[in-house]
Amino acid sequence: MNPFQKNDSKETLFLPVSTEEVPPRPPSFPEKPSPKICGSNYPLSFVFIVVNEFCERFSYYGMKAVLTLYFLYFLHWSENTSTSVYHAFSSLCYFTPILGAAIADSWLGKFKTIIYLSLVYVLGHVIKSMGALPILGGQMLHTVLSMVGLSLIALGTGGIKPCVAAFGGDQFEEKHAEERTRYFSVFYLSINAGSLISTFVTPMLRGDVQCFGKDCYALAFGVPGLLMLIALVVFAMGSKLYRKSPPEGNILNQVVKCIWFAISSRFKTHSGDSPKREPWLDWAAEKYPKQLIMDVKALTRVLFLYIPLPMFWALLDQQGSRWTLQATRMNGNLGFFVLQPDQMQVLNPFLVLIFIPLFDLVIYRLVSKCGINFTSLRKMAVGMILACLAFAVAAAVEIKINEMAPHQPDSQEIFLQVLNLADDEVKVTVLGDENNTLLAESIKSFQNMPHYSKLHLKTKSQNFHFQLKYHNVSVYTDHSVEEKIWYTLIIREDGESISSMMVKDEENKTTNGMTAMRFVNTLHEKVNVSLGTDASLIVDEDYGVSAYRTVQRGEYPAVHCRTKNEDFSLNLGLLDFGAVYLFVITNRTNQGPQAWKMEYMPANKMSIAWQLPQYALVTAGEVMFSVTGLEFSYSQAPSSMKSVLQAAWLLTVAVGNIIVLIVAQFSGLAQWAEFILFSCLLLVVCLIFSIMGYYYVPLKPGDVQGSADKQTPQIQGNMINLETKKTKF
């Protein structure tokens, strides 16, 4: 605020500086009051900030939605490498706010910081999109451009994060605190609106649009880049309407020096004549002004409350990892709509858009009418409890999924099924100590087997001897097997007799909710099978068996195939979520080659709709915790350190991601047990946070600057009288 305004401002004329020589700040001039929206107390300037945040979040989440697939299928990285780089990028985006806050508060101010780092942000998107062009160099160049682009994006998005929210809060006068609280709700709503739309749109741009014969990652990255450019333009358009607080000097450096001086003075002074100073920061009073010490006290009190907060983010951010992996083992067919597992994440921003007005306009008002003082810290504690319940529900869903999933072979066990491709029935017997018959009845030609048979081994690997009875002729064959593996014994015609081959099925695990398939070719020439935009699948002649290939769930009525002499289509029918299929290419009729379908593994049985309760609970917790915490961080921060405290708030998100990586890497627990562990950890943290919050006394608007009143300048003509002690200008 300008100290020469007509209204009685409580802002001090001088920076909280040390006794070191610091040049004086030139006096500023009064700003015109920002125009309001339709006669309300809401400044028109905050509209530009909210639209900017919507476009920026569309840009960030849109790019991030296809990032893992880009690593996997464009750069051809492994799943582990793709996951590691993805989480490293996410963490970096929440560490860089410290840098952005330092630049804003110490050097450029919030407005210029947002402008300059937004330019870096846009440049990162341009480089990232160039790295997704197949015609531009090889994989090494694509990798280099991608890493440079992601680094610039992390610097841009992280650098402006603490500035945008705090800059929006600066547009409100202290007497309009209620409107400012509403602003943070609208601000958070714009974040989730951008996330909701982009999570739907960018995967469509990637998969439905073809670039150079493949998925169009360049377009999927380019459109978010365009939205970021729009965000920058919209923000710049409101320049003349903003209230722009000047930078307060190197605040972060002053805070660190003040704290260090107080600690060192406290332990260096052992004289009994020294006066007792209960607040430890008062030991810095010999060198630093009282206002700075008060600001640092307010800052450290809030930072102390932040210590337990990362655990909440550790749970919340698992929607994009653990919960999505859980969804891959569920059925996304809702009857009226089919959801892919990664699309379930859209439920979070969708529910946020519903819950924010519901909580603000209904629930909080009802609680207030009941006479309950629902403070910010109490809202945050309730948000933690709701997140605990969400993970308890997720654990229950995980246990139910495990109960419905096929059992896995244990040590010294295998699962075996027989596929009879001969023209007549075959009876299969395992020769050994007991001469077990796999099935009481003979296996008919092209018979769908109802289940796998369990066979016990004497060692980890051994040979099995089989007797195959075919047309009253016995054929004996040996096959070597290893424990804990699924096998298929394929019986085929061999002239007038039959033979068999053992095929491993250990790869029949699907990923990302997709369906898996493999082909057996009974024709006498190779078959080239085209599945979508990926490379063709070649199946060798005379009972050649292909590798597994995963595809999206859906109907496949006409899959194009080609041999040396002819082209034909195969009707594969519905390929459902999580199912594993075997297709036998035959030519037994006059209608040309056809595909005989066999379901190795059944489709996921549990509906993905069972995830709705856990998403509803965690989103309600997010609205109570995150929206409230965002406004609480602003209201409790000294005027000179608002961006720093916003950055510290975002830093708790980065620490939460690190907690997830540590627990997932070293816990070694089953997934349901890991969910329970996270729920219990947050419950303990919530108890600690509640105790800390009970003893926390929230600052009122005048508390932080109250002592500055005694130092407020009295303007008399051309003279300015200041009551200052031990302070140099």
Side-chain angles (χ1 to χ4, degrees), residues 302-320:
V302 180
L303 291 180
F304 180 70
L305 275 180
Y306 280 4
I307 294 176
L309 303 190
M311 184 54 66
F312 176 85
W313 301 114
L315 274 69
L316 184 68
D317 287 351
Q318 291 188 54
Q319 295 174 76

Side-chain angles (χ1 to χ4, degrees), residues 409-429:
D410 293 327
S411 298
Q412 297 187 0
E413 287 183 352
I414 66 167
F415 285 170
L416 176 69
Q417 71 171 354
V418 179
L419 176 59
N420 180 14
L421 301 183
D423 61 357
D424 203 352
E425 62 184 27
V426 176
K427 191 174 184 67
V428 181
T429 303

Side-chain angles (χ1 to χ4, degrees), residues 38-249:
C38 300
S40 67
N41 292 325
Y42 294 92
L44 181 61
S45 56
F46 103 96
V47 175
F48 293 90
I49 298 173
V50 170
V51 174
N52 164 270
E53 185 66 11
F54 168 82
C55 295
E56 189 275 328
R57 290 291 85 184
F58 184 107
S59 170
Y60 176 76
Y61 285 109
M63 177 275 302
K64 201 175 178 183
V66 298
L67 193 58
T68 301
L69 295 181
Y70 171 77
F71 291 154
L72 284 172
Y73 300 121
F74 190 89
L75 297 182
H76 304 292
W77 290 353
S78 66
E79 290 188 6
N80 290 335
T81 302
S82 301
T83 302
S84 299
V85 175
Y86 177 86
H87 283 289
F89 168 72
S90 300
S91 297
L92 184 61
C93 289
Y94 285 97
F95 275 114
T96 49
I98 292 293
L99 178 61
I103 293 173
D105 284 344
S106 307
W107 180 25
L108 296 177
K110 300 183 188 71
F111 176 77
K112 289 184 178 179
T113 301
I114 296 171
I115 291 291
Y116 294 155
L117 289 183
S118 293
L119 290 172
V120 174
Y121 202 160
V122 172
L123 179 62
H125 273 296
V126 172
I127 296 176
K128 187 74 186 70
S129 301
M130 292 173 60
L133 291 172
I135 60 173
L136 189 63
Q139 182 174 352
M140 179 59 69
L141 181 60
H142 293 151
T143 302
V144 172
L145 290 175
S146 297
M147 294 302 99
V148 172
L150 287 177
S151 299
L152 293 176
I153 290 173
L155 175 60
T157 186
I160 68 176
K161 274 180 189 293
C163 302
V164 177
F167 188 69
D170 289 346
Q171 308 309 306
F172 293 83
E173 300 174 28
E174 285 298 335
K175 61 183 179 181
H176 299 145
E178 183 178 352
E179 286 80 3
R180 186 182 63 200
T181 301
R182 292 279 186 272
Y183 153 74
F184 282 104
S185 294
V186 175
F187 183 84
Y188 204 79
L189 191 140
S190 69
I191 292 175
N192 287 275
S195 170
L196 173 67
I197 298 174
S198 64
T199 307
F200 267 120
V201 172
T202 51
M204 295 171 61
L205 296 175
R206 172 194 61 81
D208 296 346
V209 180
Q210 298 297 303
C211 298
F212 309 101
K214 298 182 178 180
D215 286 354
C216 198
Y217 289 100
L219 183 63
F221 291 139
V223 170
L226 178 62
L227 263 293
M228 187 57 221
L229 180 61
I230 295 174
L232 174 59
V233 172
V234 169
F235 183 77
M237 288 172 59
S239 175
K240 295 183 178 179
L241 300 176
Y242 298 139
R243 298 172 62 192
K244 304 171 187 175
S245 301
E248 301 285 347

Side-chain angles (χ1 to χ4, degrees), residues 255 258-259 281 292-301 641:
V255 170
C258 179
I259 293 175
L281 274 169
L292 176 62
I293 295 174
M294 289 188 62
D295 287 354
V296 175
K297 286 179 181 178
L299 179 68
T300 53
R301 288 171 73 249
M641 303 176 189

Side-chain angles (χ1 to χ4, degrees), residues 361-374:
L361 302 178
V362 180
I363 295 179
Y364 290 157
R365 292 187 178 184
L366 289 177
V367 172
S368 178
K369 287 184 177 180
C370 292
I372 300 175
N373 184 18
F374 210 20

Side-chain angles (χ1 to χ4, degrees), residues 70 72 127 135 137 274 293 321 363 385 419 494 513 543 580 615 638-639 662 687 702:
Y70 171 77
L72 284 172
I127 296 176
I135 60 173
S274 300
I293 295 174
S321 56
I363 295 179
I385 294 175
L419 176 59
D494 191 0
Y543 297 93
V580 182
Y615 270 96
S639 60
I662 294 174
L687 179 62

Side-chain angles (χ1 to χ4, degrees), residues 417-615:
Q417 71 171 354
V418 179
L419 176 59
N420 180 14
L421 301 183
D423 61 357
D424 203 352
E425 62 184 27
V426 176
K427 191 174 184 67
V428 181
T429 303
V430 180
L431 301 178
D433 297 336
E434 300 179 1
N435 288 353
N436 295 322
T437 299
L438 288 183
L439 291 176
E441 303 294 333
S442 297
I443 303 172
K444 297 179 181 179
S445 177
F446 287 86
Q447 176 182 342
N448 263 310
M449 298 298 291
H451 56 78
Y452 280 82
S453 299
K454 182 190 296 185
L455 296 181
H456 296 276
L457 311 182
K458 296 179 180 179
T459 59
K460 292 184 177 180
S461 63
Q462 72 177 63
N463 286 333
F464 271 105
H465 310 286
F466 295 93
Q467 180 189 37
L468 312 176
K469 287 187 177 181
Y470 173 73
H471 291 170
N472 296 322
V473 176
S474 294
V475 177
Y476 297 90
T477 182
D478 295 340
H479 293 289
S480 178
V481 297
E482 299 176 1
E483 65 176 359
K484 298 182 179 180
I485 295 179
W486 306 66
Y487 288 95
T488 296
L489 182 66
I490 299 178
I491 301 172
R492 60 188 181 181
E493 294 183 8
D494 191 0
E496 296 183 357
S497 184
I498 58 173
S499 61
S500 64
M501 58 182 181
M502 189 76 79
V503 179
K504 287 184 179 181
D505 293 336
E506 78 273 17
E507 300 177 34
N508 59 3
K509 297 177 181 178
T510 59
T511 58
N512 298 331
M514 303 175 78
T515 182
M517 66 174 75
R518 74 190 317 179
F519 292 86
V520 176
N521 179 21
T522 66
L523 306 182
H524 299 300
E525 52 185 342
K526 290 183 180 179
V527 176
N528 189 306
V529 183
S530 298
L531 295 170
T533 59
D534 294 333
S536 299
L537 185 65
I538 299 176
V539 192
D540 291 333
E541 69 276 9
D542 296 325
Y543 297 93
V545 181
S546 74
Y548 279 101
R549 178 61 57 87
T550 56
V551 295
Q552 293 285 349
R553 184 261 186 199
E555 294 279 353
Y556 291 81
V559 175
H560 182 262
C561 301
R562 184 176 68 256
T563 64
K564 185 177 181 180
N565 299 319
E566 65 173 329
D567 290 1
F568 58 92
S569 296
L570 296 178
N571 181 11
L572 305 186
L574 173 65
L575 305 183
D576 212 349
F577 285 105
V580 182
Y581 300 97
L582 173 71
F583 293 97
V584 181
I585 303 175
T586 65
N587 194 4
R588 306 172 67 190
T589 65
N590 296 328
Q591 300 177 357
Q594 295 180 334
W596 178 78
K597 183 178 181 180
M598 176 178 170
E599 191 177 75
Y600 268 169
M601 288 288 175
N604 300 337
K605 297 178 181 178
M606 193 166 184
S607 173
I608 202 171
W610 284 102
Q611 280 196 324
L612 179 60
Q614 65 200 56
Y615 270 96

